[in-house]
Each structure stands twice: as structure tokens, then as C-alpha cells.
Amino acid sequence: GGPASLSRFRGALVAGVLGDCIGGEFEGAEEVPMESVLQHLSGLDDETKGNGVLEYSDDTAMTRCVVQSLLTRAGFDEQDLARRFAKEYSTSPGRGYGNGVIQVLKKLSSFQLSDVYQPARDQFNGRGSFGNGGAMRTAPFALTFPDRADVKRFARLGAMLTHSCSLGYNGAILQALAVHFSLQGALDLPLQFINDLIAEMEEVEDNKEARNDARILKEAEKPFCERLHRVRDLMNRSKVSIEEVISELGNGIAALHSVPTAIFCVLHCLQPLEGLPESYGGLERTIAYSLALGGDTDTIACMAGAIAGAHYGIEAIPQSWIRCCEGAEDADVNAERLHKLYHQFPQGV
Ligand code: F2R
Ligand code: MG
Ligand code: MG
């Protein structure tokens, strides 16, 4: 479909769920042979094996809260979103949430809370979380607001309900921007896509808080820009091993070690890859490759899935995968609602 078509919305929201559900199998594994990934994926095609439903984790649980809040409030409402996160956690606490964020979600349940951003600020001795929990649930902001300034503003605020460290919320902005650009068809020109992301993040990271957090955590002055430059360097290489990707970009639970990695997975899988079945299209390659990196596989595949889904559209997703994943059909229905909401806003840049 063309820019911001319904197919792209459906692809983004559904493939995000698929990445989470399918990637959950390998979360935390140090090494994941591609053979094991392909075996896992072929099991999804084989209904006679009776795989049943792959459950979604915190990534999708929180994304669903963002979607429901944006749809119900027809825009961003931090009180409503905070309430939904808290209620979701208290109803289903076993979805594999990060160890730190649980404290925030418990405090958000309190009726006396006057500032919904305060529990996140108290995390990690006041430094805030730099985990990827803000980034993993941020795609719906790109699927609601056509204007790039709104995408950045609300991705930041949506993440800050749990992640007050700039290395957490700036990761959410980067992921939302990647979905935003992909939705416009920007992955047709991959080099332009990465250059645009770098230009945006140059601005996003150009402030006192970001510089201060980077200094305390001994990162580069503009950590996400620096990682995106590494993504561009890797893109320009004819051969890149999994080990090099992990050592250059990371595969961990920090936003800095997973959002640029997810973006790289999408870019790297735009073309056929050695070691992957020829029958695979770009979306299947992206999910398979994200899993083979090991580490935070559900979250990297969820983020890469959302970016890739916005590029390839719903037609690229195997029906058998959709059938196996809890919440995938709901995501499809909600994508259509978000598409309507998006087109009610003035079309921005
Ligand atoms: N947590 C997991 N998976 C591992 C265990 C799953 C579960 N226990 C089970 O077995 O079922 N997955 C999910 O968590 C990630 C998103 O995490 P989020 O929301 O960012 O959480 P949190 O707690 O804020 O941060 C994660 C960890 O990062 C470290 N950290 C963050 N900020 C820090 C800081 N300022 N200083 C020191 N450490 C910091 C901490 O270890 C946090 O616990 C996703 O992968 C999702 O799938
Ligand atoms: Mg998870
Ligand atoms: Mg994870």
C-alpha cells in the first residue's frame, strides 16, 4: 500500500505482537543457532504439531494499554494510560515484566497519586530506568499521530510514565520515529531512512538531561546517534556476523542496547540473507534474524516487527503465525481503528 495505508497499520501492530509471542521462546538465551530459530518457526506452520497459542508478554500487554488509551481518549492522556498500566499489571502480573518497573506499576495503582510521573522518577535511586520497556510499547504513537513533532512528544511522555532516564525515553522516541518513517514508505531508501533517524536524534539528544545521563552512564555524548552511526557502518558492509552485531549494537534489556539493534535487523533483512529459506519474505527474515541474535529476543523482535510490518504491510505476514499468537487478531482489529483516528488528525510531516 501507499504511505500510511491500512495495510501498513495492520502490519505494524500485528507484527509487533508476533515478534513478542514468537520471540518469547528465546528471551535471555545467550546463543540461538539459526537452526533452532527455523525449527521454531516451521513449527508455527505445522498445525498438526498442535503448538496452540504462544502467549504475549509485557511488551504486548503494555502496547495494548497504549492502544486502548489512545483510542478511548482520542489522543494522549497520561492519567488514563497510567491507570491502564496499573490495572493490566494487577490483573496479569505474570507477563514477564522487568524487575524494576513492577514497583512503578504498583505505585501507579494508588488513588492518592497526584503526579503520575513521580514513581518513575524514583526508580534506581532517582536516576530512572534506562530499560527498553518504554520503547517496546511505543509503536501506537506513530500509528495515531501523523505529525512527527507529536510522535516525538507523546512517545516521550508515554515512556516517562515508567522510564524517566533519557536513555530509556529517548529509545522510545527513536523506535516511534522508525515506525513513523517506515509507515511513510521511507524504507524504500534505506540510507535516507537511517540518515533521517540520525538527524532527528541529533535534535532529540541535544539537551542538558540527555548529556548529563550519558555522562553519568559513561556513554557517548549522544548515545543513540552514536549507535545509529554504527548501524549505518554495518549496513555498508558486505558481510556481518551475528557476533559483530551483538558486540557493536548489543542485544540486551537496555533501550540503548536493543532499539538500534531492532532497526538494524529490519535494514539488514531488506534483501535475502544467506542461511534463511528462499521462501521467506522480508518480514519473516526480520523476525527470524532478530531471534537469532539471542538476548532480549521478544522485545527486539517486537520492535523490529513493528517497523518491518509498517513497511511490508499485513499481506507479508503468514496467516499461520497470526493464528498461533495470542492478541494478534485483536491487534488487527485495533489497527483499523487507529488508522481511522490517524486520518482524523491534520496530516503533518
Ligand atoms: N524482564 C524481562 N525478562 C526477564 C525476566 C522475565 C521474568 N522475570 C520471567 O522470568 O518471566 N522482560 C521484559 O523486561 C524488559 C523491559 O523492561 P523494563 O520495562 O524496561 O523494566 P525495568 O525494570 O525498568 O528495566 C529493566 C532492567 O534494566 C536494568 N536497569 C534499568 N535502569 C537501570 C538503572 N538506572 N540502573 C541500573 N539498572 C537499570 C534493571 O536490571 C532493570 O530491572 C523487556 O525485555 C520485557 O520483555
Ligand atoms: Mg517481554
Ligand atoms: Mg524482552
Side-chain angles (χ1 to χ4, degrees):
S5 65
L6 175 59
S7 169
R8 290 180 187 267
F9 276 68
R10 295 172 65 199
L13 215 55
V14 172
V17 176
L18 260 46
D20 176 19
C21 294
I22 299 172
E25 170 82 5
F26 303 108
E27 194 188 20
E30 239 172 67
E31 266 183 43
V32 183
M34 188 57 93
E35 209 185 327
S36 310
V37 171
L38 297 180
Q39 210 174 2
H40 181 46
L41 293 175
S42 71
L44 308 179
D45 295 328
D46 187 351
E47 286 173 29
T48 56
K49 281 193 183 163
N51 271 292
V53 169
L54 297 174
E55 288 181 2
Y56 63 72
S57 77
D58 56 335
D59 307 49
T60 300
M62 296 191 95
T63 304
R64 285 162 64 97
C65 294
V66 178
V67 167
Q68 287 306 338
S69 182
L70 288 167
L71 288 172
T72 311
R73 308 298 301 158
F76 182 72
D77 177 338
E78 67 263 35
Q79 303 284 336
D80 181 76
L81 185 54
R83 255 195 311 274
R84 285 176 194 273
F85 285 156
K87 180 145 188 280
E88 170 59 36
Y89 174 71
S90 70
T91 313
S92 297
R95 294 274 187 191
Y97 287 85
N99 288 331
V101 78
I102 290 171
Q103 304 310 317
V104 180
L105 298 173
K106 285 180 179 164
K107 288 184 195 170
L108 286 177
S109 299
S110 162
F111 287 112
Q112 278 104 39
L113 198 64
S114 56
D115 178 359
V116 286
Y117 292 104
Q118 192 54 44
R121 286 190 208 109
D122 294 339
Q123 290 294 91
F124 299 100
N125 299 316
R127 294 191 306 275
S129 173
F130 53 62
N132 54 19
M136 72 191 183
R137 62 176 190 247
T138 204
F141 294 111
L143 303 176
T144 298
F145 301 107
D147 188 273
R148 199 173 309 146
D150 286 341
V151 173
K152 290 192 277 187
R153 178 168 160 228
F154 296 124
R156 179 175 187 272
L157 289 171
M160 284 179 77
L161 287 169
T162 49
H163 291 68
S164 75
C165 176
S166 63
L167 275 95
Y169 62 72
N170 282 344
I173 295 177
L174 173 57
Q175 168 66 12
L177 282 170
V179 177
H180 167 82
F181 281 127
S182 178
L183 205 61
Q184 310 305 321
L187 277 163
D188 288 340
L189 297 171
L191 198 56
Q192 184 69 45
F193 173 85
I194 192 75
N195 285 339
D196 286 348
L197 284 179
I198 292 172
E200 287 290 339
M201 293 309 289
E202 281 285 348
E203 242 181 71
V204 168
E205 294 193 290
D206 188 18
N207 56 66
K208 218 171 67 199
E209 295 80 40
R211 271 192 293 273
N212 198 37
D213 288 341
R215 187 182 49 77
I216 292 167
L217 291 162
K218 297 189 170 51
E219 293 293 346
E221 196 184 343
K222 292 185 173 179
F224 285 99
C225 289
E226 194 243 4
R227 294 274 158 162
L228 289 172
H229 279 107
R230 293 190 199 184
V231 169
R232 192 172 60 188
D233 292 345
L234 290 172
M235 270 169 79
N236 289 332
R237 301 234 316 252
S238 52
K239 274 211 166 206
V240 188
S241 70
I242 295 270
E243 292 72 22
E244 285 169 305
V245 176
I246 297 170
S247 100
E248 287 292 305
L249 303 177
N251 63 358
I253 212 165
L256 187 64
H257 302 155
S258 51
V259 181
T261 312
I263 293 169
F264 176 75
C265 289
V266 180
L267 290 163
H268 191 58
C269 294
L270 287 169
Q271 305 297 331
L273 277 190
E274 211 178 286
L276 286 176
E278 277 175 25
S279 61
Y280 272 16
L283 190 119
E284 291 139 297
R285 288 196 293 272
T286 305
I287 300 279
Y289 189 78
S290 306
L291 269 49
L293 293 181
D296 197 359
T297 48
D298 66 330
T299 305
I300 293 173
C302 169
M303 297 190 293
I307 304 166
H311 176 61
Y312 297 107
I314 191 72
E315 296 78 11
I317 304 179
Q319 276 301 319
S320 57
W321 292 17
I322 296 180
R323 277 196 296 273
C324 285
C325 295
E326 181 192 14
E329 279 167 12
D330 278 0
D332 201 2
V333 173
N334 283 328
E336 198 168 338
R337 295 181 179 139
L338 286 176
H339 180 255
K340 278 205 186 94
L341 180 60
Y342 179 100
H343 285 283
Q344 280 168 21
F345 287 108
Q347 298 303 295
V349 284

